[in-house]
Every structure is written in C-alpha cells, then in structure tokens.
Amino acid sequence: MKNILTIATGGTISCEPSADGLIPALSGETIISLVPELKTVCRISCLELVQLDSSNLTPSDWVKMAKAVAENYDEYDGFVITHGTDTMAYSAAALHEMLRQLEKPVIFTGAQLPIEAPKTDAKDNVYDAFLAACSSVPGVFLAFNHNIHDGAYVKKTHSEDFIGFSSVNAPVAGKVENGAITWQKEYLDRHSENHFTPHYDLCEKVFLLKLLPGLSPKIIETLGALGYRGIIIEGFGAGGVPTDEGKNDFLPAIKKAIADEMTIICTTQCQNNGTHLDKYPIGILAARCGAISGENATCELLTACLMLALAEKNSPAEIRNFIADRLANPMQL
Ligand code: ASP
C-alpha cells in the first residue's frame, strides 16, 4: 500500500457553523476518518498545517505548504492538501511553480459543502484526491467533482455548484469513473528530467490590474511608487492596453515603468483562448514597449510565475526569459 501524507489547511471542507457563518474547525485526521473507504486505498498520515478560510492564506502559507511537501518528500509516495476552494487555484499554481521537477503527485482538494453536511461533495472529492495521490503521476493537481485538473491550468469558476473548477485553455488532466482515473496520455508519459528541487523565494510586490474602459494610466506610476515590481495588466479581449493619444494612453506609462525595471505582463479578462498581442495595435504597441504576453496562462499561474521570477532572477532580461520559458509550456514540471 502507498503512503500518503495529508496536509490540512482549513476551508469549507473542514467547516462547522458558528454565529459568524462557517468556520474551519475539523482536523485533517477527522476529515480522513469520515471517509472510511480510504482504508482500502492507502496508508494515511496527517499534518495539521493551518486552519484558515483560504481567503486568509498568503504567499507565506504557500511556502509552508511547499516546505511540508519537501520536508516529507522521501517518506511518502504522494501528498493530499485539503484547502478552501476560494484561493485553491492560486495555491495550486504557486506549488506548481515552487515544487520544480516534482516526481510525485501533490493533490489539492476541498469542497463546496462541509464534510459533515448532508449531501456533501467533500467525501467524493477527498476519495478522488487519494486515488490521484496514489497514481504515481507526477505534478500538482486539483481533484474536484470527479475531475483531476492540472495545477498549472485550473481556475475556480463556480462559487457554489459542485463543479467548482475548470481547466482553462487545456483539457482536464484526468477523469474519475467507477473508482479509477483515466488520465490524458501526456500525463501518463510525464516525468521530470532532474531531481526534485523546491524553490521558496517569492517576491510579493506583484499587482493584478484589471482594466476598465477609461481607467487612467497614472495607476501604473502609483503602483511603482508603492514599490510594486511587477504588474499583470488584465486587458480586454485578445489583450493589450488603451493607446489613444490624448485620452488614457497607457503606452508612455508602460515604457517608463519598464525603463524603471518594472516587469509588465499583458493578459486578458477573457477566461478562454488566451492572449494575442500580435493582433491589434493595442497589443502590438504594448509588446513593442516591452510588455510580456501572458499567453494562455491563468492569472493564478501568472501571479506565481512572476513572484518567483522577481525573487530569483536579477536582470530584466533574465526575468523575461524565465517567464517566457515557463509560459511556453506551463505543463513542464
Ligand atoms: N471560503 C471557503 C474557503 O475558501 C470556501 C470553500 O472552501 O469552499 O476557505
């Protein structure tokens, strides 16, 4: 039997009602005890890491999660992280970036309803997460509603429906049916080229700027003055920024920010089909000013990638190359 470590972090799955609404209360140990069928699947140990609503998690908690995996890496065949759904896609993207050359499965899961609630989705999600953790398919994944999503592509798309998450610009990595996972072929062939290497340094001075029609470009300078070193600009449609001189032209602000060694990524507010800066002047001119294309990546993956690049790389060219390499193939371990 495989040995799997559960890392509990809170979330609705662990919640009990209180006067202020649902609050995380159950330990990882209790969650596992409520899914007795797991006894036939694997041997399970539990680590109670934090007990929080996931909106209260910060990048320092991603570091704790990454360290919990790395410090127990040799003892276990796989890892299940129970987590609130609200920021689970951010944590999954962050661990995908931080746990490089992963040779084992790390599976996030949670639920839309507490595990003790009638008709909860929690038990199925937990069961599926352990199946994935025992699968030997390496990488960071998110198990939800019988789907196994790649941590590099996943996004929370439903605030209440059991479906919860979608794989964005990629097929679902695996599907659970009749107690078995059918994986996409590329995941069955997946293996890391080098030994597992965790990276813990993150630069948190990253801002996600959602454009509104008419927004003033002065916001870029203000963010620079506040010490932000990287901005992900979520533009409209194919991506890009307003360029009309005499109105709210973003190009001079972007040029100035890049000259001051800020990293600017342009992405899209559209969930599907990615960023295409080569299509219209609004994108072509932004790219000529030095903005990097967010390609097909989610804002969750861009956040993690930018935080890591800014912490680990020194020159603007190194930062740009690091990001471009990661975004060229987000599936790489
Ligand atoms: N607010 C909860 C959380 O993210 C929601 C959930 O877990 O579904 O922690």
Side-chain angles (χ1 to χ4, degrees):
M1 260 194 172
K2 298 227 167 154
N3 284 317
I4 307 296
L5 180 65
T6 309
I7 302 168
T9 71
T12 292
I13 190 168
S14 71
C15 277
E16 285 190 338
S18 81
D20 297 328
L22 293 172
I23 49 165
L26 306 182
S27 65
E29 200 89 51
T30 305
I31 292 172
I32 300 309
S33 72
L34 293 171
V35 194
E37 308 85 302
L38 286 173
K39 287 202 184 86
T40 61
V41 176
C42 55
R43 266 192 297 270
I44 303 174
S45 310
C46 288
L47 181 67
E48 313 295 336
L49 195 67
V50 292
Q51 201 169 53
L52 293 171
D53 186 296
S54 72
S55 292
N56 288 324
L57 295 172
T58 66
S60 67
D61 296 301
W62 303 340
V63 175
K64 280 187 201 155
M65 291 176 216
K67 286 191 172 164
V69 171
E71 284 162 9
N72 292 287
Y73 194 72
D74 294 334
E75 267 68 62
Y76 293 93
D77 302 298
F79 301 83
V80 170
I81 304 182
T82 57
H83 195 294
T85 61
D86 291 350
T87 67
M88 187 150 50
Y90 280 95
S91 295
L95 263 64
H96 167 76
E97 287 300 311
M98 296 165 80
L99 301 176
R100 301 291 287 279
Q101 307 291 346
L102 199 56
E103 297 136 322
K104 299 181 180 186
V106 173
I107 317 294
F108 281 86
T109 198
Q112 297 282 36
L113 293 177
I115 195 157
E116 289 177 321
K119 302 206 175 129
T120 181
D121 54 335
K123 294 178 185 177
D124 281 354
N125 290 345
V126 168
Y127 189 83
D128 292 352
F130 279 91
L131 284 185
C134 291
S135 70
S136 309
V137 174
V140 176
F141 297 97
L142 191 157
F144 218 86
N145 198 43
H146 304 307
N147 290 317
I148 312 294
H149 300 281
D150 186 328
Y153 295 106
V154 69
K155 191 169 199 69
K156 184 170 181 184
T157 48
H158 296 73
S159 61
E160 296 212 311
D161 285 358
F162 281 178
I163 187 171
F165 293 84
S166 304
S167 286
V168 169
N169 296 325
V172 166
K175 289 234 166 234
V176 187
E177 261 167 347
N178 305 322
I181 304 176
T182 308
W183 291 93
Q184 294 280 342
K185 186 177 170 316
E186 62 247 71
Y187 290 95
L188 294 173
D189 296 342
R190 197 186 205 191
H191 62 278
S192 51
E193 303 293 338
N194 286 305
H195 285 305
F196 170 56
T197 321
H199 294 245
Y200 302 124
D201 284 343
L202 297 170
C203 167
E204 293 187 34
K205 295 309 263 179
V206 162
F207 197 89
L208 178 59
L209 175 65
K210 187 168 191 151
L211 292 188
L212 288 172
L215 181 76
S216 166
K218 284 205 183 84
I219 187 73
I220 304 271
E221 199 181 326
T222 306
L223 292 171
L226 288 171
Y228 284 95
R229 294 186 50 214
I231 305 179
I232 301 160
I233 302 180
E234 242 189 35
F236 314 113
V241 294
T243 55
D244 218 357
E245 271 180 67
K247 284 164 79 186
N248 62 332
D249 180 1
F250 268 66
L251 297 177
I254 289 181
K255 249 189 220 154
K256 164 95 176 50
I258 290 174
D260 292 344
E261 303 211 338
M262 192 188 270
T263 301
I264 306 274
I265 300 178
C266 281
T267 184
T268 169
Q269 293 176 17
C270 292
Q271 181 182 294
N272 299 310
N273 306 151
T275 304
H276 303 277
L277 296 186
D278 55 355
K279 214 166 165 187
Y280 305 102
I282 54 161
I284 293 170
L285 298 177
R288 273 191 208 147
C289 289
I292 300 167
S293 166
E295 304 292 351
N296 280 339
T298 59
C299 68
E300 289 85 344
L301 186 69
L302 293 174
T303 302
C305 186
L306 184 53
M307 284 190 180
L308 214 85
L310 291 174
E312 290 201 346
K313 304 292 169 193
N314 292 317
S315 72
E318 282 176 315
I319 292 170
R320 167 182 278 277
N321 290 343
F322 178 92
I323 294 170
D325 174 61
R326 294 299 292 169
L327 299 187
N329 177 13
M331 211 190 123
Q332 68 188 298
L333 289 164

